[in-house]
Amino acid sequence: MAKSISAGKREEILNGNLIKAILTLAVPVMINSFIQSMYNLTDTFWLGKIGTDNQAAITLVSPFQNILINFGAGITTAGAILISQYLGAREDKQANSMANHICITSLGFSVLCAAISWLVSPFLVGWLGAEGEIYNYGLTYLRIVVLDLPFLFTINLYTSVKQSQGDTVRPLLLNILGVSVNLILDPLFLVVFKWGIGGAALATLLAKIPSAVVGFIALRGKNQLVRISFKGFRFEASKVAAIVKIGLPTAVGGSTMQLGFLLMTKNVNAYGPIATTAYGIGNKINSIITMPANGLGSAISTVVGQNMGAGNVKRTDKAYHIALRIGAVFLFVCGMILSRRFIAEPMVRFFTSDEQVVPLATDFLSIMALCCWTNAFYNVTQGLFQGSGHTMITMAVDATRIWVFRFLTLWVCSSILKMGVESVWYAVVVSNATSAVILYVLYWTGIWKKSTIKIAEKEL
């Protein structure tokens, strides 16, 4: 059954109705992104009930956790790109071999990262400027959550293998399982057992274990179009090189961007825990608002990967424009609504009752919502470049978005215009919009039309 479903998805992506193909891929990804964000949102909600310092601690250390996640995601992203292009070229045996390579490299990397991160956590939390209770809370949370990396990477592996085939529903169901466990454990550990921030971290860790186990077993199933099987497995230099060539730029770009977020958080922390908490809440709500853009970006990456593998450039271009229009119009309308303070403020109050935090977070959220439509241009165009294998471009834009445009805007607003904490809010908006424009201009150069899978096989 699984093979026929995957084959049907491939046929729809390559020859079917593009609007249907994009939306059937994107909608589950959007829901899945929301489900995944529920891990942190649940922690934020329950920790908000026991103190602002706990929320500030999570906001402070989360970017470091995201650095590791994004670097590892580069490996699985490379897998999704290469597998989808192999499937589009109808080279199913090569797709299976690539899945095995991705599995071993990603899991090995995750174990190594978890061990190193646990050891350097005290230094890192201190370097971020945390003191007193916030230091203790941040260290406790970080040391526990980094232990979930092997389980998280297994879930990401399952997601990338399934998404490359055009199946975004099963990864959604897998994450619903994990979040359901977390929704039960968070109040149990924090409210009933009163374990504080350590309980929140432990709930997140334990919630990922069943999803990882189920996902790995499913990938081993003999009826899968693309499956994990180590029988007769051997490393191939060309596939390892292809993973590095396509995955490393994504890993470096994502990690560099998250390192920038880490330094941004450090800058916000200079304004005190109230500002840090407001920044964290605003970012979390904004991540929900922009999920449609993320979903469309992931969907278009799969559509582009398979169609480029099949050599169908015109269909790829058509799919890109359809996704871009859907995303831009939807986010523009939603942004206009959510930027209204009488709507933004109740959303903020859901996460905190601190009267000092509420106005700051509401300002931040209102400004970001007003300009969130630019995320459609950013994410959909990024999906086009990633799906066609041009991850060096997305790496460069990811890095400059934070390290050039965001920090430059922050410096101008804070040092020259003396805007205080609002400098952070405008730095985020300006840098996102500028990078969206750059990516859209690069689209018109036609660089993305150069296929990568055959080149990778010949050159590497």
Side-chain angles (χ1 to χ4, degrees):
M1 176 61 74
K3 286 190 177 183
S4 64
I5 291 174
S6 297
K9 285 286 187 181
R10 172 163 59 185
E11 191 61 28
E12 182 176 76
I13 290 170
L14 294 177
N15 300 302
N17 183 290
L18 275 174
I19 296 178
K20 180 182 177 183
I22 291 169
L23 291 179
T24 53
L25 285 170
V27 172
V29 172
M30 294 176 204
I31 300 172
N32 198 13
S33 296
F34 176 75
I35 294 297
Q36 287 180 315
S37 71
M38 286 298 292
Y39 285 108
N40 277 335
L41 289 173
T42 302
D43 288 350
T44 301
F45 175 80
W46 287 106
L47 288 172
K49 303 296 182 184
I50 60 176
T52 298
D53 283 354
N54 289 275
Q55 288 183 319
I58 284 188
T59 300
L60 195 65
V61 301
S62 288
F64 176 70
Q65 181 189 8
N66 291 336
I67 289 174
L68 300 176
I69 293 171
N70 274 265
F71 198 92
I75 300 173
T76 52
T77 297
I81 293 169
L82 291 165
I83 292 171
S84 65
Q85 290 198 8
Y86 277 128
L87 290 173
R90 301 189 184 278
E91 298 179 17
D92 297 352
K93 185 178 179 181
Q94 296 293 338
N96 276 273
S97 177
M98 181 59 70
N100 289 329
H101 283 77
I102 296 296
C103 177
I104 292 176
T105 52
S106 64
L107 291 182
F109 176 79
S110 68
V111 171
L112 180 64
C113 273
I116 294 175
S117 299
W118 194 91
L119 293 173
V120 303
S121 293
F123 165 77
L124 177 73
V125 177
W127 175 77
L128 287 170
E131 298 177 346
E133 288 301 305
I134 293 181
Y135 173 86
N136 294 329
Y137 291 150
L139 179 60
T140 299
Y141 186 82
L142 186 58
R143 274 198 153 173
I144 295 174
V145 294
V146 295
L147 299 179
D148 79 359
L149 288 176
F151 305 108
L152 176 62
F153 281 30
T154 301
I155 296 169
N156 289 344
L157 171 67
Y158 178 85
T159 300
S160 67
V161 169
K162 289 298 179 183
Q163 188 170 311
S164 66
Q165 301 171 67
D167 182 358
T168 53
V169 174
R170 285 179 176 81
L172 166 62
L173 297 176
L174 191 70
N175 273 307
I176 288 176
L177 170 63
V179 169
S180 298
V181 174
N182 194 47
L183 286 170
I184 295 170
L185 295 182
D186 253 340
L188 178 66
F189 290 171
L190 270 69
V191 179
V192 178
F193 296 159
K194 300 186 184 302
W195 288 350
I197 199 168
L202 183 61
T204 300
L205 167 62
L206 295 178
K208 289 188 173 68
I209 295 176
S211 295
V213 171
V214 171
F216 189 76
I217 292 174
L219 287 176
R220 297 273 294 166
K222 293 182 179 180
N223 63 336
Q224 304 296 306
L225 177 63
V226 179
R227 64 186 292 260
I228 302 298
S229 176
F230 300 112
K231 184 178 181 180
F233 172 79
R234 64 183 180 85
F235 270 107
E236 297 179 37
S238 63
K239 286 188 170 56
V240 175
I243 293 170
V244 172
K245 180 179 180 180
I246 293 179
L248 188 60
T250 302
V252 171
S255 298
T256 302
M257 185 173 65
Q258 290 297 330
L259 178 59
F261 289 155
L262 189 71
L263 294 178
M264 280 291 293
T265 304
K266 186 176 182 181
N267 276 283
V268 178
N269 194 49
Y271 293 100
I274 299 297
T276 304
T277 303
Y279 179 67
I281 291 173
N283 272 331
K284 286 179 174 66
I285 298 175
N286 184 62
S287 69
I288 297 174
I289 298 172
T290 56
M291 277 175 190
N294 295 330
L296 287 167
S298 295
I300 206 64
S301 179
T302 299
V303 173
V304 168
Q306 291 203 20
N307 278 281
M308 290 298 287
N312 198 337
V313 177
K314 287 185 177 180
R315 186 172 172 83
T316 298
D317 194 29
K318 183 179 179 181
Y320 165 74
H321 281 100
I322 290 172
L324 186 60
R325 291 189 193 104
I326 293 172
V329 171
F330 182 83
L331 285 181
F332 180 79
V333 174
C334 288
M336 291 302 104
I337 296 171
L338 295 172
S339 63
R340 305 303 93 188
R341 289 189 66 89
F342 67 88
I343 293 177
E345 185 172 323
M347 295 179 69
V348 169
R349 287 188 180 277
F350 180 77
F351 295 100
T352 182
S353 57
D354 192 318
E355 293 300 327
Q356 292 180 287
V357 172
V358 170
L360 284 179
T362 301
D363 286 344
F364 185 27
L365 179 58
S366 296
I367 293 169
M368 287 194 295
L370 190 65
C371 300
C372 71
W373 59 272
T374 62
N375 287 73
F377 283 82
Y378 184 87
N379 289 101
V380 175
T381 310
Q382 187 179 58
L384 172 71
F385 282 110
Q386 286 188 333
S388 58
H390 296 283
T391 52
M392 284 294 292
I393 292 174
T394 59
M395 178 193 75
V397 175
D398 276 344
T400 55
R401 177 162 73 107
I402 305 300
W403 291 94
V404 178
F405 302 120
R406 187 159 299 183
F407 284 115
L408 178 61
T409 306
L410 180 65
W411 178 78
V412 170
C413 291
S414 61
S415 300
I416 298 178
L417 301 180
K418 307 296 182 182
M419 294 172 63
V421 72
E422 287 189 356
S423 304
V424 178
W425 311 162
Y426 285 98
V428 172
V429 171
V430 171
S431 60
N432 288 349
T434 305
S435 298
V437 171
I438 291 173
L439 272 175
Y440 191 58
V441 170
L442 287 172
Y443 156 76
W444 286 105
T445 66
I447 299 173
W448 58 273
K449 295 178 182 179
K450 182 181 178 182
S451 184
T452 58
I453 187 169
K454 296 301 180 184
I455 293 173
E457 289 296 298
K458 290 177 182 177
E459 288 184 354
L460 299 178

